[in-house]
Amino acid sequence: MRKNIVAGNWKMNKTLQEGIVLAKELNEALANEKPKCDVIICTPFIHLASITPLVDPNKIGVGAENCADKESGAFTGEVSAAMVASTGAKYVILGHSERRAYYGENVEILKSKVKLALANGLIPIFCVGEVLAEREANKQNVVVSAQLESVFDLSVEDFSKLILAYEPVWAIGTGKTATPAQAEEIHAFIRSAVAKRYGKAIAENTSILYGGSCKATNAKELFANPDVDGGLIGGAALKADSFKGIIDAFNA
Ligand code: PEP
């Protein structure tokens, strides 16, 4: 079944102590209610083992922001999917535009990461999205289609475990949000691409999140679109009250 999801991406923010405080605050904020969406927090690697036991697993899932494209071995500084899973984390963000832009992650590297994540029982939150020049040239569908190639060679069974996130790069951390109409248009396109590859039933069951300057004030409007199933949240996930405000968009 397609799920509504609000996932936070902490990026390279918060010391371990600060992260623990934030996770506890969020857990507390959700203590007396059942959120009407799945809630996920994706944290720096070193926070995972400390934070997973602190949150109610029935309300908050924990994920990493990345994992290695190799299984194990002499890859100094890398963190494998198996290591992420061993902390109790259940999710991993893959293909974030910052990883693509600053660390050269391409279709092939991301194919390996997605496969290793799935092989280790993690659910990838797989991100796609165009830069401003591509949007201005009306190339967003072509760009997103090419990025989806990293996941379109998966079996139906594996693909159906994924969460997709559309994140226009021009909206990430810029305060500039896609309009609800822009978001719906490309989310519908992504769903149609999934339907073409895996069939309508799988496409209908795939959660596609929007990311890019999403906050409590615009979340409700964005999530009201039929093909927008929630959000991947950066800046507004760094405070419990602003993140909770976005989760509440599904209550309103
Ligand atoms: C992100 O980086 O995934 C993101 C959506 O960031 P922000 O919400 O800060 O634009």
Side-chain angles (χ1 to χ4, degrees), residues 3-251:
K3 287 177 174 166
N4 290 328
I5 300 168
V6 173
N9 172 13
W10 290 6
K11 310 195 188 191
M12 197 172 73
N13 293 297
K14 306 285 177 192
T15 63
L16 177 59
Q17 290 73 22
E18 290 165 348
I20 286 172
V21 169
L22 175 55
K24 281 184 175 167
E25 282 173 357
L26 184 64
N27 199 51
E28 189 59 31
L30 296 175
N32 297 318
E33 62 182 88
K34 180 83 194 126
K36 295 217 172 66
C37 59
D38 285 6
V39 176
I40 301 168
I41 50 176
C42 295
T43 80
F45 290 129
I46 63 150
H47 297 39
L48 294 171
S50 303
I51 284 179
T52 43
L54 291 181
V55 296
D56 179 348
N58 297 314
K59 292 187 183 169
I60 303 175
V62 178
E65 300 170 17
N66 181 30
C67 70
D69 62 336
K70 307 284 192 306
E71 206 168 324
S72 66
F75 301 102
T76 303
E78 287 292 284
V79 175
S80 71
M83 292 172 187
V84 170
S86 73
T87 67
K90 300 276 182 253
Y91 301 87
V92 58
I93 297 173
L94 292 173
H96 191 281
S97 62
E98 288 152 15
R99 300 294 318 172
R100 292 177 191 270
Y102 307 147
Y103 301 97
E105 295 193 1
N106 58 27
V107 168
E108 292 309 313
I109 291 171
L110 290 169
K111 263 187 196 173
S112 303
K113 292 191 177 203
V114 168
K115 291 208 174 89
L116 285 166
L118 288 165
N120 285 283
L122 297 172
I123 298 174
I125 302 173
F126 185 75
C127 305
V128 296
E130 79 288 353
V131 300
L132 184 60
E134 292 162 341
R135 166 68 58 168
E136 284 173 348
N138 202 28
K139 295 235 167 75
Q140 60 274 16
N141 291 2
V142 180
V143 170
V144 160
S145 298
Q147 293 168 336
L148 285 170
E149 288 306 314
S150 292
V151 293
F152 274 6
D153 69 338
L154 293 173
S155 66
V156 179
E157 195 194 344
D158 274 346
F159 183 87
S160 61
K161 295 173 187 154
L162 297 186
I163 298 166
L164 299 181
Y166 167 67
E167 298 204 303
V169 182
W170 46 271
I172 296 180
T174 59
K176 221 178 183 181
T177 317
T179 64
Q182 281 174 321
E184 174 55 22
E185 188 180 39
I186 193 149
H187 279 233
F189 171 76
I190 292 168
R191 202 176 301 286
S192 72
V194 173
K196 225 185 253 172
R197 172 66 185 84
Y198 289 103
K200 204 166 173 351
I202 298 288
E204 280 306 313
N205 282 336
T206 303
S207 295
I208 309 176
L209 314 184
Y210 168 80
S213 298
C214 184
K215 15 185 195 304
T217 47
N218 58 26
K220 196 175 158 204
E221 236 191 332
L222 286 160
F223 300 170
N225 284 296
D227 288 298
V228 179
D229 306 308
L232 179 55
I233 317 299
L238 295 175
K239 287 202 170 127
D241 59 351
S242 54
F243 193 54
K244 173 72 163 53
I246 297 171
I247 295 165
D248 287 344
F250 280 116
N251 292 329

